[in-house]
Amino acid sequence: MLNKLNKEFNFNRYALNLRAYRQELLASNIANSDTPNYKSLDINFSKILQSLLKQNYRNNKNDLTITSNKHISISNDDISDNYHKIIEKNYIFSDNKVNVDAEKINFVNNSLLYQMEIAFINNKFKTFMSVLKG
């Protein structure tokens, strides 16, 4: 039961974590806008999310039965090992100085998408609770 719930919320978990990380990067860009030679940094959100979902699908596809304690299990936690590697491959470095107005717009846009994701998760929980209550 919990495994199914975990699978149901994997997409939301990845999206929310990436939004939070992107928010940190955008805030850092705004905070360092007056720092000499500082160049803005961002991530390719959709590309990273696709990579994480593909990796998650591959791990779930190889759902093997463990018949010995010497077998190595494949779990979703393996993704977290590669999480930072996937993000590092998808950094977007700017060649120009930080454009504060553009960074602020991206910051607000990302904040709204983050809040939308939380509202979506809350609605999903409400749906599950209404099904369980009957």
Side-chain angles (χ1 to χ4, degrees):
M1 174 76 177
L2 288 177
N3 196 21
K4 288 181 181 178
L5 280 175
N6 197 21
K7 285 180 184 176
E8 185 68 30
F9 286 98
N10 266 343
F11 173 82
N12 304 102
R13 179 177 61 141
Y14 296 142
L16 207 57
N17 285 339
L18 282 176
R19 289 272 172 231
Y21 184 68
R22 185 168 187 235
Q23 199 72 0
E24 289 176 22
L25 290 177
L26 295 171
S28 177
N29 289 341
I30 293 169
N32 289 303
S33 62
D34 291 333
T35 304
N37 299 324
Y38 181 83
K39 295 179 180 176
S40 65
L41 180 65
D42 202 353
I43 56 172
N44 188 336
F45 181 85
S46 61
K47 197 171 180 181
I48 294 171
L49 189 59
Q50 282 179 340
S51 296
L52 289 172
L53 292 174
K54 280 181 188 173
Q55 193 170 3
N56 184 39
Y57 175 74
R58 271 186 256 132
N59 284 351
N60 286 335
K61 193 176 178 183
N62 295 327
D63 196 16
L64 303 174
T65 303
I66 298 173
T67 57
S68 169
N69 61 356
K70 294 180 182 177
H71 290 167
I72 299 171
S73 68
I74 299 172
S75 68
N76 289 339
D77 295 335
D78 296 336
I79 291 172
S80 62
D81 295 339
N82 295 327
Y83 183 78
H84 293 289
K85 290 179 186 174
I86 291 172
I87 289 175
E88 287 173 6
K89 286 181 185 174
N90 291 291
Y91 276 130
I92 300 170
F93 295 98
S94 172
D95 292 336
N96 301 324
K97 191 179 173 193
V98 176
N99 181 345
V100 177
D101 292 335
E103 295 295 330
K104 285 180 181 176
I105 290 170
N106 287 336
F107 186 87
V108 170
N109 183 35
N110 195 58
S111 296
L112 292 173
L113 291 170
Y114 183 87
Q115 290 172 5
M116 182 189 75
E117 191 69 35
I118 289 175
F120 187 76
I121 291 170
N122 282 338
N123 285 335
K124 243 179 174 178
F125 272 116
K126 285 178 185 173
T127 303
F128 281 125
M129 291 305 291
S130 68
V131 168
L132 290 175
K133 287 180 181 177

